[in-house]
């Protein structure tokens, strides 16, 4: 399972990269805005800064919602760095844009996916990744993990190569549940990744080991 970090915060990206387990980064316009990044020039510069930190794929989202605009922006983003994956929303022109980029060997991430039908269209259009937003489904009393399971079944039935990128992951149980049902990738905040480490028995066990080591040394 690949681990992506879902943020535009360079410190968080560096911390996850230093941990040695990071496979990529996802961002979106809201995450960029949260870091105070605005306007085309700043946004492009920031994507480049992210690419310079990480080894893996970096999803960069188009703002345009029409076909020509998505192609123009996507090509500009893809030219920035080999690590860039063009992130495109699952709307009608978005499906056409996914096909355009996949025909040209440019990686894509189909975003804002909330149903199996949308995921099927993304795969048919040749998306590299499909991003079902599981946290936002949970927020409205739908089961986000169930959607991952459904997409897994459909993709396996037809051997679609599109990777299921579970997005809007909020906490460690989301990550574990995604792993159980076979998501290819998960993207979440640093807090959710680091929370996987936590166990009280690890903390107390380590404290005992260290105390015993000190006791034995001072005998
Ligand atoms: O990867 C999608 C993500 O950024 C949305 O997360 O927590 O805003 O639903 P959230």
């Amino acid at each position: 399972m690949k681990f992506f970090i879902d943020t535009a915060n360079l410190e968080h990206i560096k911390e996850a990269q230093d941990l040695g387990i990071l496979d990529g980064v996802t961002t979106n316009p809201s995450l960029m805005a949260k870091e105070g990044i605005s306007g085309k020039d700043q946004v492009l510069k920031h994507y480049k800064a992210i690419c310079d930190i990480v080894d893996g794929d970096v999803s960069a989202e188009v703002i345009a919602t029409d076909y020509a605009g998505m192609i123009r922006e996507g090509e500009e983003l893809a030219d920035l760095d080999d690590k860039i994956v063009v992130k495109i929303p699952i709307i009608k022109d978005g499906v056409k844009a996914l096909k355009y980029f996949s025909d040209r060997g440019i990686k894509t991430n189909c975003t804002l996916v909330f149903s199996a039908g949308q995921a099927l269209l993304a795969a048919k259009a040749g998306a590299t990744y499909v991003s079902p937003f599981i946290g936002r489904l949970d927020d409205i009393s739908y089961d986000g993990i169930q959607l991952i399971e459904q997409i897994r079944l459909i993709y396996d039935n037809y051997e679609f190569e599109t990777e299921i990128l579970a997005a809007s992951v909020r906490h460690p149980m989301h990550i574990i549940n995604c792993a159980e049902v076979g998501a290819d990738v998960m993207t979440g905040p640093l807090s959710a990744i680091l929370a996987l480490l936590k166990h009280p028995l690890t903390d107390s066990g380590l404290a005992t080991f260290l105390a015993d080591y000190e006791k034995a040394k001072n005998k």
Side-chain angles (χ1 to χ4, degrees), residues 6 26-28 30-31 87 111 131 133 135-136 139 165-170 187-188:
D6 194 30
T26 53
T27 59
N28 62 40
S30 304
L31 292 171
K87 201 171 177 190
T111 190
S131 286
F133 278 29
R136 291 191 191 185
D139 287 344
L165 194 174
S168 185
V169 158
R170 307 261 177 80
T187 191

Side-chain angles (χ1 to χ4, degrees), residues 76-218:
E76 198 169 355
L77 289 167
D79 281 347
L80 268 183
D81 197 288
D82 285 348
K83 295 171 191 166
I84 292 286
V85 174
V86 181
K87 201 171 177 190
I88 295 171
I90 183 70
I91 54 178
K92 202 169 167 189
D93 280 13
V95 173
K96 286 163 64 180
L98 288 168
K99 181 78 174 88
Y100 173 93
F101 287 116
S102 92
D103 284 348
R104 285 157 184 77
I106 293 172
K107 285 187 178 181
T108 53
N109 176 356
C110 181
T111 190
L112 287 167
V113 167
F114 294 93
S115 76
Q118 292 175 325
L120 185 53
L121 277 176
K124 288 286 295 172
T128 314
Y129 299 104
V130 66
S131 286
F133 278 29
I134 63 172
R136 291 191 191 185
L137 279 173
D138 290 354
D139 287 344
I140 56 159
S141 306
Y142 280 79
D143 189 340
I145 295 294
Q146 211 171 45
L147 175 61
I148 302 287
E149 272 183 300
Q150 204 182 3
I151 299 171
R152 179 77 284 152
L153 177 69
I154 292 169
Y155 282 11
D156 288 350
N157 280 348
Y158 297 99
E159 297 181 2
F160 282 120
E161 284 175 12
T162 301
E163 291 186 51
I164 303 173
L165 194 174
S168 185
V169 158
R170 307 261 177 80
H171 51 72
M173 279 315 292
H174 268 156
I175 303 178
I176 293 163
N177 293 151
C178 282
E180 284 170 342
V181 301
D184 299 292
V185 193
M186 80 82 205
T187 191
L190 183 64
S191 58
I193 297 172
L194 294 180
L196 290 172
L197 279 170
K198 287 185 192 157
H199 200 289
L201 291 179
T202 303
D203 297 340
S204 60
L206 185 59
T208 306
F209 286 160
L210 295 180
D212 287 346
Y213 172 81
E214 287 302 324
K215 257 190 259 164
K217 208 173 67 176
N218 298 328

